[in-house]
Amino acid sequence: MVETELARLEQAITQITRELARQPSAEGMGYYYELASRALDPGYLREAKAHGKKVVGTFCTLVPEELILAAGAVPVRLCSGFGATITRTEGTCPASLCPLVKSSYGLWLSTPPIAAQCDVVTVPTTCDAKKKLAELLSDRVPVWLVQVPTTKESAETRSAWVRQIVLLKQQLENLTGRRIYRKALRTAITICNQKRAALRRLYELRKEARIWGRDALLVAGTSFYDDPVQWTRQTDALCAEIAQRDEVRQAAANSPRLLLTGSPVVFPTWKLPMLVEESGGIIVADDICTGAKALWDPAYVTESSLAGMLEAIGERALSITCPCFAPSTARLNRLVQLSRDFRVDGILYHVLRGCHLYGMEAQAAEDRFRELDLPTLRVETDYSLEDTEQLRTRVEAFVEMVSARKLG
Amino acid sequence: MRIQPLRNPIQLVLTLLLNFTFVGGVVISPFLPVLRLTTVINPFVHIIKGEQMHLCPLGTLGRCLTGTWSLGLLLPLFGGLLLVGLLVGRALCGWACPFGLIQDLFDRIRTLWFSRKKVREDWHAHLSGLKYVLLAFFALLALAMSVPALANRYAEELFKAHWPDLFQAAPFCALCFPMDASTLATLIHGATPGLLGPYTVVQLLVLVVFLAGAAIVPRFWCRYLCWVGATGSLFNRVSLLQLRKRSASCTKCGNCARACPMQCREPMDQDGDGRVTEQGCVFCLKCVESCPNHTLSLSVGGTSIYQGGRTWWKRS
Amino acid sequence: MLVCGIDVGCMFTKFVILRDGEVAAQHIMESGMDGAAGVNEALAQLLASIGATRADLRAVVSCGLGRRSVEPLDKVVSEVSACAGGARVVCPGARTVMDLGAHGIRVAALDERGRVASFDISDKCASGTGCFLDIMSRALGVEPLEAGKVALCARNPEQIESMCAVFGESEVVSLVARGKSREDILAGLVEAIARRVASMAKRLGVQQAVVLVGGVARNPAVVTALERALGSPVHVPDEPQTVGALGAALIAHSLAGSKAG
């Protein structure tokens, strides 16, 4: 039964990667389609296991990868976008729960290789659903809860967070049997910063609409289950390629430029970016945690001592504009800055049904955008494909509306 | 564009200019809110040129009041302090003071062995006020000691015997213990043993505190003790040179608070727009450099002249 | 220059043919299961009635649920844009457009130039739609087209909360069993729909002129109830059901114009 389930999931992946591959933004995208098609069994994880390395599963974006790499382990993000795995969670999870959490738990129950290879799973206490997911998973795999502060402003919570980072460091050292020294941490920080720099260079090219949003999101999303050095190299090559190509830019010359924000769009449920770009829009920027959010700011090291570096990577995690932090000022500021820098014409605010954090910030975000004379389309959906046609109606109407305003 | 590689050489150049008066030609440092490196330099200067030693504007004040220098010099003294303060606030501390340079160098050496100690916020707030207390104390002392009756009554025995020249010229400097060069000059050049004054131990103690503090807490002297810097601090909120914040792009990443050697919180904490120059800010611009969102800027009268420009991702 | 706009709804397919920008012919038929073939046949007949053929059409634009089933096709547009455009022509100065169709409710707020500034769509289920009203009418033994007149005769409209097209039927039956009159029940249903639509419109901001289009606009009771709920007059064009197709045809007209130009 597990085999047929995995086969179904593979089918879902193949379907979407084939669709994407029909009109790729560049030849370099082939690497990412290939990577995405092996999302359930990433090559670099197999390699790591073959070399005897430990695999640390993560959720969200707030667990510092640098620590995991410095300890000689390999990080892999387990946030799942499979609609099919949700049915397995009936009874355990309430129907109105976040689809991402249900899907991730359901995926775990199907034990694909990506899950089976994890030696430990770290779950940050970002939202209620994640906290309870941690409990559910702890019956099946060792789970470390990473206590994320609820506010960034207070000096006390910041220092508590740094202490949590130190604790995580110790846990990782115990796991791999390898102490984290300055050199290893410095190298890990450099690797991760280079990855982030590569993403920023890609997004800089998105300002000129040189790559479709559906492809750019895939590039960002696959960074979570690929070797960082390899991914950086490929992304730089992709940037070099699309800097020379003009097809997408010409095709999207009059398309409304849109900013995607809200609950994460997780592979393989790619319906929203596909719908938007089929309807004539182009997503030029995003602030979602499977996209830019995790890779936007670098770790800024002010002190090259071990404690200084730990503080730097801890505080970098706090620079992430997640709505799990209150107040929401930082995130709203980031959204406004992105809309300006990327010269967007409209906003797509995606809320997964049951997601209170993004849902509750939607009105405040919409009000801020209205001040900038930017219309917002709120899309509330889940991982099923039932509502595709209703979404299409809304997205088409929105794209037409924004187009009419843009072209005067 | 990174500004630290520019700032450190400028500190060195200005240190040399302001201390080697026979190179610079124009003596202006007695009128600036900057400490001179007399401990090291003036012993040689004294021996070579017989020049009087003094560290700071308070020394100038003392000399004017005792008549060693003309009273008319009070005008450029207070005028200079006022002008510098209103123009650049405490920026000289970050760009021209030799003691700032020494502390910055110590800081770098420190990072090789252990991480900086963050002073508890409440202690930091209270200790920061200490320098103003010292400023008031020394200013009053300078005024008091310029009255011959008081000087003769309270200080003569103690000091006249030890530093007759200095006492004549600036009784206040004789009392002002930090790094009075005469003691060290004596120690270096092995001059008359009798010249070792009653404050030698205190002077050495202060020197130790200065160096130890610099080795543990960045800019320890500047933060809590430097009364000369305190005069600049008074102008930090009103000077033409300001740190400004455009809160609309702040994501509270905390880089600025972490980078600041003076432990200033305002660039990070403020939620509005406008000035974020704290009293302790020495304009080293590490915060502006560290900001990934171009939120902070150095501005002159409202116009931003430096915004960091951290295109960190452009280097491939 | 002949152009055509087709609004393929879930219950009815509406055609509007424009000659040089003026309405030359229009037609409403029940949406069948024949897909493109059925549409093309009806279109051919309509064109024949004004002495033209398919070849004479310079542009065809479609909107509605089944918009992509039309072929050949020059462009698809959303019903929101189409109804807004059509409403603006039949009622110049329209700022709030409410489209009550068989399967969905669409409300749009237009700016002073007639462009859509914001919109809201309720189409996740049939609650409060024309389909819902039809099912309820039939359950009460009233012909859907008469439902409006019957509702206007109500003396004491029922307070009805649930607008589920499936479970509403059993609620209606129980009301009848309790001795409530058909008029009161229908009036209550109409009130419920009006409240729903009004709240959608108010969220976008209601501005004069307010226009009601779509099949349900033919129901006079709905119009009156909406006017009460909104506190403002509601204009209903003579042919409210074809406004969407008209809007699509107008887009076809400008498309053909730019092709020629």
Side-chain angles (χ1 to χ4, degrees):
Chain A
M1 174 152 101
V2 171
E3 279 79 43
T4 47
E5 267 191 53
L6 285 181
R8 261 202 315 157
L9 299 178
E10 295 279 358
Q11 222 180 4
I13 295 179
T14 316
Q15 204 176 1
I16 186 70
T17 46
R18 273 212 195 116
E19 227 181 296
L20 286 168
R22 271 191 297 122
Q23 275 196 302
S25 307
E27 270 178 48
M29 284 306 302
Y31 174 77
Y32 302 95
Y33 298 148
E34 174 66 30
L35 208 55
S37 66
R38 285 184 282 116
L40 289 172
D41 189 7
Y44 90 114
L45 271 192
R46 283 220 175 271
E47 242 183 80
K49 270 294 181 196
H51 283 106
K53 289 192 181 178
K54 298 283 183 181
V55 174
V56 177
T58 65
F59 282 93
C60 295
T61 53
L62 283 148
V63 179
E65 296 182 290
E66 295 97 331
L67 273 183
I68 301 174
L69 289 169
V74 159
V76 64
R77 184 143 161 212
L78 299 168
C79 294
S80 152
F82 290 96
T85 55
I86 291 180
T87 44
R88 291 210 74 180
T89 64
E90 273 163 29
T92 336
C93 299
S96 54
L97 186 73
C98 162
L100 195 154
V101 167
K102 280 196 287 194
S103 172
S104 304
Y105 184 55
L107 183 68
W108 196 276
L109 294 176
S110 315
T111 53
I114 191 176
Q117 288 167 328
C118 285
D119 293 287
V120 76
V121 172
T122 54
V123 184
T125 55
T126 40
C127 65
D128 290 343
K130 288 264 162 47
K131 278 191 282 205
K132 290 306 178 183
L133 172 68
E135 274 190 49
L136 286 175
L137 287 175
S138 61
D139 292 333
R140 295 166 184 276
V141 66
V143 169
W144 297 341
L145 264 188
V146 176
Q147 313 274 1
V148 172
T150 40
T151 165
K152 299 195 221 194
E153 276 76 6
S154 145
E156 287 90 25
T157 57
R158 288 183 97 100
S159 53
W161 173 238
V162 177
R163 282 199 296 279
Q164 164 70 80
I165 299 288
V166 172
L167 176 66
L168 187 60
K169 164 181 174 286
Q170 286 161 357
Q171 287 173 307
L172 284 165
E173 286 171 341
N174 290 340
L175 176 74
T176 59
R178 187 158 122 179
R179 286 213 56 194
I180 295 177
Y181 289 112
R182 270 169 57 163
K183 188 149 178 266
L185 193 53
R186 183 82 244 200
T187 313
I189 291 178
T190 309
I191 290 175
C192 290
N193 277 353
Q194 278 169 351
K195 189 165 75 154
R196 294 160 190 147
L199 182 107
R200 287 298 286 268
R201 287 193 281 272
L202 180 70
Y203 273 54
E204 198 62 16
L205 290 165
R206 285 182 83 178
K207 284 186 183 170
E208 298 163 38
R210 285 188 184 274
I211 179 173
W212 290 113
R214 59 182 186 265
D215 279 339
L217 278 174
L218 194 71
V219 173
T222 49
S223 72
F224 300 118
Y225 42 89
D226 189 18
D227 172 61
V229 178
Q230 168 80 332
W231 184 89
T232 306
R233 205 181 308 133
Q234 289 291 144
T235 307
D236 279 336
L238 179 70
C239 288
E241 190 193 337
I242 62 178
Q244 307 295 324
R245 290 173 77 132
D246 244 4
E247 292 101 345
V248 180
R249 197 159 69 102
Q250 282 172 3
N254 288 325
S255 303
R257 298 162 65 94
L258 302 170
L259 168 71
L260 173 66
T261 182
S263 309
V265 169
V266 190
F267 191 76
T269 304
W270 229 232
K271 77 184 160 181
L272 190 59
M274 298 298 278
L275 274 180
V276 170
E277 297 191 337
E278 274 166 29
S279 306
I282 177 168
I283 299 177
V284 292
D286 68 78
D287 178 50
I288 58 174
C289 48
T290 41
K293 216 206 276 293
L295 302 167
W296 200 248
D297 285 333
Y300 184 69
V301 178
T302 51
E303 297 262 314
S304 46
S305 60
L306 190 65
M309 285 197 276
L310 288 175
E311 201 186 352
I313 61 179
E315 293 221 323
R316 183 211 94 88
L318 293 188
S319 76
I320 292 171
T321 51
C322 180
C324 68
F325 297 116
S328 56
T329 338
R331 176 167 171 250
L332 294 176
N333 287 345
R334 168 62 52 81
L335 290 176
V336 169
Q337 194 185 16
L338 284 173
S339 340
R340 286 205 182 112
D341 291 346
F342 285 79
R343 293 171 287 118
V344 303
D345 303 310
I347 318 290
L348 282 167
Y349 198 102
H350 172 239
V351 178
L352 284 173
R353 216 162 275 131
C355 181
H356 303 309
L357 290 177
Y358 282 107
M360 290 210 50
E361 287 194 1
Q363 188 61 50
E366 214 172 307
D367 292 339
R368 279 294 278 273
F369 289 127
R370 197 171 300 121
E371 284 167 27
L372 300 172
D373 198 29
L374 288 173
T376 310
L377 176 70
R378 267 200 238 183
V379 169
E380 199 179 320
T381 181
D382 54 22
Y383 286 170
S384 72
L385 297 175
E386 293 172 359
D387 61 353
T388 307
E389 288 314 307
Q390 275 105 343
L391 271 186
R392 192 190 298 277
T393 313
R394 279 167 179 69
V395 167
E396 274 185 7
F398 184 67
V399 169
E400 279 165 25
M401 179 176 110
V402 178
S403 242
R405 286 161 58 106
K406 180 183 168 118
L407 302 171
Chain B
M1 198 201 97
R2 292 201 57 217
I3 215 143
Q4 298 309 309
L6 197 66
R7 188 176 68 92
N8 291 325
I10 290 181
Q11 273 178 302
L12 187 62
V13 167
L14 286 177
T15 294
L16 295 173
L17 273 180
L18 292 178
N19 281 280
F20 287 90
T21 51
F22 48 86
V23 170
V26 177
V27 184
I28 52 165
S29 70
F31 305 94
L32 291 178
V34 157
L35 289 174
R36 288 181 72 197
L37 208 49
T38 49
T39 313
V40 175
I41 293 168
N42 271 9
F44 304 97
V45 173
H46 177 68
I47 287 160
I48 297 169
K49 284 195 95 185
E51 201 180 275
Q52 288 289 359
M53 301 161 291
H54 48 262
L55 279 177
C56 70
L58 285 174
T60 310
L61 178 66
R63 276 169 183 67
C64 293
L65 293 176
T66 55
T68 314
W69 289 357
S70 97
L71 262 178
L73 284 177
L74 279 178
L75 192 62
L77 171 67
F78 287 110
L81 289 179
L82 201 69
L83 190 68
V84 169
L86 286 176
L87 281 177
V88 297
R90 205 178 166 177
L92 287 186
C93 297
W95 291 77
C97 180
F99 289 93
L101 179 60
I102 292 172
Q103 286 172 96
D104 285 347
L105 289 173
F106 261 68
D107 211 41
R108 285 197 192 225
I109 296 169
R110 170 193 60 77
T111 57
L112 296 174
W113 283 297
F114 52 94
S115 55
R116 87 165 55 160
K117 286 286 157 264
K118 223 186 203 159
V119 179
R120 269 177 51 174
E121 282 303 320
D122 45 354
W123 287 8
H124 175 75
H126 292 129
L127 284 175
S128 298
L130 188 57
K131 55 185 187 288
Y132 298 107
V133 172
L134 287 173
L135 175 64
F137 174 69
F138 288 132
L140 287 174
L141 197 60
L143 286 172
M145 286 300 113
S146 64
V147 177
L150 286 172
N152 290 332
R153 188 153 162 216
Y154 292 106
E156 187 167 14
E157 264 176 58
L158 219 46
F159 299 103
K160 211 166 177 184
H162 297 287
W163 304 300
D165 295 331
L166 189 60
F167 186 73
Q168 200 62 34
F172 166 67
C173 287
L175 287 174
C176 177
F177 51 79
M179 297 165 229
D180 183 354
S182 65
T183 311
L184 221 47
T186 308
L187 290 170
I188 293 171
H189 294 283
T192 326
L195 268 180
L196 282 174
Y199 274 169
T200 308
V201 173
V202 181
Q203 287 176 11
L204 288 175
L205 203 70
V206 173
L207 186 64
V208 164
V209 166
F210 171 80
L211 293 174
I216 300 171
V217 175
R219 296 254 177 171
F220 179 82
W221 176 261
C222 306
R223 289 187 194 197
Y224 308 128
L225 295 174
C226 188
W227 59 89
V228 179
T231 59
S233 283
L234 292 171
F235 292 96
N236 254 0
R237 296 298 292 186
V238 298
S239 61
L240 202 64
L241 200 67
Q242 284 288 326
L243 273 187
R244 275 183 198 274
K245 179 174 185 178
R246 207 176 39 108
S247 282
S249 52
C250 176
T251 52
K252 301 277 173 168
C253 68
N255 283 358
C256 53
R258 217 155 19 96
C260 181
M262 300 293 288
Q263 212 164 303
C264 292
R265 298 272 320 170
E266 229 177 285
M268 152 98 164
D269 288 346
Q270 174 148 308
D271 286 324
D273 280 353
R275 303 164 192 222
V276 288
T277 328
E278 268 192 26
Q279 53 87 28
C281 178
V282 298
F283 290 93
C284 67
L285 301 181
K286 285 187 181 170
C287 55
V288 179
E289 265 186 336
S290 73
C291 179
N293 302 315
H294 297 231
T295 301
L296 296 171
S297 65
L298 179 69
S299 82
V300 174
T303 322
S304 129
I305 56 173
Y306 175 62
Q307 264 194 308
R310 275 190 65 75
T311 48
W312 55 278
W313 42 264
K314 270 200 178 149
R315 298 178 254 112
S316 2
Chain C
M1 183 173 70
L2 277 181
V3 296
C4 178
I6 310 178
D7 179 359
V8 188
C10 86
M11 276 177 73
F12 295 100
T13 301
K14 286 79 73 176
F15 302 80
V16 167
I17 297 182
L18 297 181
R19 176 180 273 128
D20 299 324
E22 297 294 322
V23 177
Q26 54 187 19
H27 178 60
I28 303 173
M29 75 174 199
E30 277 187 24
S31 298
M33 296 293 286
D34 305 328
V39 168
N40 284 338
E41 204 186 297
L43 183 57
Q45 279 179 2
L46 187 64
L47 282 163
S49 73
I50 57 164
T53 63
R54 191 59 192 266
D56 299 317
L57 279 180
R58 301 282 285 279
V60 175
V61 170
S62 69
C63 67
L65 196 64
R67 56 193 178 279
R68 287 195 164 77
S69 64
V70 177
E71 33 176 277
L73 187 61
D74 289 284
K75 191 178 159 92
V76 293
V77 293
S78 68
E79 298 149 286
V80 174
S81 306
C83 279
R88 197 72 178 179
V89 161
V90 298
C91 180
R95 292 295 293 268
T96 301
V97 178
M98 302 174 295
D99 174 16
L100 304 190
H103 66 280
I105 304 170
R106 288 158 291 276
V107 183
L110 312 186
D111 64 15
E112 56 299 330
R113 284 171 53 180
R115 300 178 304 186
V116 176
S118 59
F119 65 89
D120 196 8
I121 302 180
S122 167
D123 62 356
K124 294 241 159 53
C125 73
S127 79
T129 62
C131 200
F132 160 76
L133 202 51
D134 282 2
I135 293 174
M136 297 301 117
S137 303
R138 289 206 186 93
L140 289 165
V142 175
E143 268 305 302
L145 284 174
E146 304 297 310
K149 277 188 253 169
V150 173
L152 284 173
C153 299
R155 265 175 298 185
N156 202 7
E158 273 302 305
Q159 186 78 1
I160 293 180
E161 298 305 335
S162 161
M163 287 194 283
C164 177
V166 176
F167 294 111
E169 205 171 328
S170 51
E171 188 180 351
V172 157
V173 167
S174 69
L175 282 170
V176 167
R178 279 169 30 207
K180 308 292 176 184
S181 73
R182 297 181 321 175
E183 290 80 3
D184 289 344
I185 297 172
L186 272 172
L189 292 165
V190 160
E191 288 287 321
I193 293 176
R195 266 201 310 274
R196 173 74 166 280
V197 177
S199 78
M200 282 172 74
K202 281 179 190 163
R203 261 205 306 274
L204 298 178
V206 179
Q207 280 189 300
Q208 299 302 318
V210 180
V211 182
L212 181 65
V213 302
V216 181
R218 292 174 302 167
N219 184 320
V222 171
V223 179
T224 324
L226 255 179
E227 284 181 329
R228 263 203 309 274
L230 289 172
S232 101
V234 169
H235 302 268
V236 180
D238 297 325
E239 310 265 358
Q241 212 173 1
T242 54
V243 172
L246 174 63
L250 288 165
I251 294 172
H253 180 77
S254 61
L255 203 67
S258 57
K259 267 200 284 191

